[in-house]
Amino acid sequence: MAIVQKDGFSSKFGVIAAAAGSAVGLGNIWRFPYITGENGGGAFLILYVFFVIVIGVPVMMSEFVIGRRSESNALGSFRKLAPGTPWWLIGLMGIIAAFVILSFYSTVSGWTLEYVFQSINQGFTGKSMNQLNIDFVTFTSGSFRPLLWQMIFMLLTAAVVMCGVQKGIEKATKILMPMLLVLIIAVCIRSVTLTGASEGLRFLFEPHFEKLTFKAVLMALGQAAFSLSIGMGALITYGSYIKKDTPLLSTSIQVASADTILAILSGIMIFPALFALGVGNTGGPGLVFVTLPAIFQSMPGGSIFAIVFFLLISVAALTSTISVLEVVVAYLKQEFNMSRLKATILGTVSISILGVFCTLSFGPLKHVTIFGKTVFDLMNYLSANVFLTFGALFIVIFTGWKLGKSSFVDELNQSGKINPIVTNVIVFIIKFIAPLAIAAIAIGAFFIEGLT
Ligand code: PFF
């Protein structure tokens, strides 16, 4: 009798490559530096790392546990583990979050492709930081090129997802992730050896807690969730593809560590260069697209570096976008009995439609605002600070109060190797600390900052 092999990750390394691939992306290289810059530097970084440890890792473990135990997608998993209850709404929120995230994320991913193209054509040579800034604004406020690159990026994402978990997602991430690490380290070395770099390092590592507003605390939490890919079911979906004998505690710690190291390295890559090149802390989404070309200009072999580097940012973005699209594809496939191909096409087309509005909000739709934000800014803000933050909150409440300690520990601790003190601490954090902390920050930020 033929055994039908279920599609899933083949090894622990495969799981880590895919999950770290999801975690490491534009959130680390593009979003983390400018959010840190806008929210006080060193103090923000300390809070960020604190949230990764106290909230990020427990939520990540919870997602893996929910996914593997149910062997189901982001919504189906809650239906399976808590039948006849409204818990599936958390899954639904995750599916909506996937749409919101991918719509603006694919805009920036498209920019990275334009910058690969520009660097191949020597587009940065001889340009001042000011000129690079003008070029960035001119490009992003157009229509045709940014939309073209966004669509190409969505097609690339769809192509990987279409090939399935092991032959698509795992294969791609296993090759691309180690390459990314080597390149980031190389650019960091260049950045910190520029004259005047130390001021940037000081900005990144010296804490000034007086600069932290309540909103900055919410941003740190939101950024931690965004960067770790938690709160919307991407890791529930990946969890459903993990083999039963893969340990989930160590996997979560390794993925979170890799993601945090890469975020800090991105800060080390950006801030010293910003200060050394005399621009100080100019923030905003353009940060990476203006600063990096300026650094490349000032280094020997910079044009080659620029090509490889923008290619790698694109790759980091791609390994993340596939995990977001997979949330939608797994859902459509399992809940509506669609083929992978059909689910991929439907997911890609519908997300791309929303994506067009995000891309155009730098140009023709610049003046269309909702709550004082452009479509892009609104999606960017909502994704991390509302969807993922509340998603993370409900996920830990589900694990701590509905799934129950014995199922959680049983799924986590497959071979009974974890010390019971450790599991008790984790369960305590999941039941009490994480939900209270997330709720206090989210509600506090709304009342204190939202009304002023
Ligand atoms: N973690 C990704 C990044 O830092 O770029 C973004 C992301 C991917 C967020 C997947 C959420 C997600 F489910």
Side-chain angles (χ1 to χ4, degrees), residues 124-138:
F124 315 130
T125 319
K127 285 186 179 157
S128 65
M129 188 85 139
N130 198 18
Q131 186 58 46
L132 289 166
N133 196 21
I134 294 171
D135 286 358
F136 173 74
V137 174
T138 311

Side-chain angles (χ1 to χ4, degrees), residues 22-23 25-28 101 105 226-229 232 234 320 323-324 388:
S22 170
L26 297 175
N28 307 60
I101 291 179
Y105 204 94
F226 187 85
S227 191
L228 295 171
S229 297
M232 58 162 266
S320 298
S323 72
V324 188
L388 300 188

